[in-house]
């Protein structure tokens, strides 16, 4: 019986810890290489232009989650020039800290 528990534990650790790490490393390597190719072919501003729709979708997903959890959305900026913190868009929202749901 003990080997079954050990095997299950090892499989669980692989699924929960190792696979996400490997997946993130692969995605990171692909992203880094893709960004370098874009900059080499189209210039440094090309990343912003190519990521335009991705930024909009990303910020809208933040807004959707804020609405789902009944947060009050104060301001949304889907696309903006990078500021000091390199922010390209944001969703400013507030919630009730006493609410378990929020």
């Amino acid at each position: 019986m003990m080997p079954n528990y050990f095997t299950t534990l090892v499989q669980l650790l692989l699924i929960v810890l190792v696979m996400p790490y490997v997946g993130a490393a692969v995605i990171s390597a692909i992203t880094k290489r893709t960004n370098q190719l874009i900059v080499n072919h189209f210039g440094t501003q090309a990343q912003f232009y190519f990521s335009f729709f991705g930024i909009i979708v990303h910020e809208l997903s933040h807004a959707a989650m804020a609405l789902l959890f009944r947060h009050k959305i104060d301001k949304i900026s889907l696309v903006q020039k990078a500021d000091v913190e390199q922010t390209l868009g944001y969703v400013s929202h507030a919630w009730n800290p006493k609410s378990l749901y929020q």
Side-chain angles (χ1 to χ4, degrees):
M1 275 232 190
M2 193 63 163
N4 288 337
Y5 289 124
F6 181 73
T7 303
T8 304
L9 180 63
V10 169
Q11 289 173 346
L12 184 63
L13 287 174
L14 283 172
I15 291 169
V16 172
L17 298 176
V18 175
M19 287 178 68
Y21 179 77
V22 170
V26 168
I27 290 171
S28 179
I30 291 170
T31 302
K32 187 175 182 178
R33 180 70 177 139
T34 303
N35 286 341
Q36 190 59 50
L37 288 171
I38 289 171
V39 168
N40 289 346
H41 285 106
F42 302 106
T44 56
Q45 290 295 322
Q47 287 182 4
F48 177 75
Y49 297 116
F50 279 101
S51 63
F52 182 78
F53 293 111
I55 295 167
I56 291 172
V57 169
H58 179 87
E59 296 308 328
L60 286 174
S61 69
H62 282 288
M65 292 310 294
L67 290 173
L68 178 67
F69 286 97
R70 299 177 52 214
H71 291 198
K72 179 184 176 284
I73 296 177
D74 299 322
K75 188 174 179 184
I76 297 176
S77 175
L78 295 179
V79 178
Q80 67 181 18
K81 285 188 176 182
D83 58 11
V84 177
E85 296 173 356
Q86 298 296 310
T87 302
L88 298 174
Y90 64 89
V91 176
S92 175
H93 59 100
W95 63 93
N96 180 0
K98 294 180 182 177
S99 170
L100 270 167
Y101 181 71
Q102 293 182 351

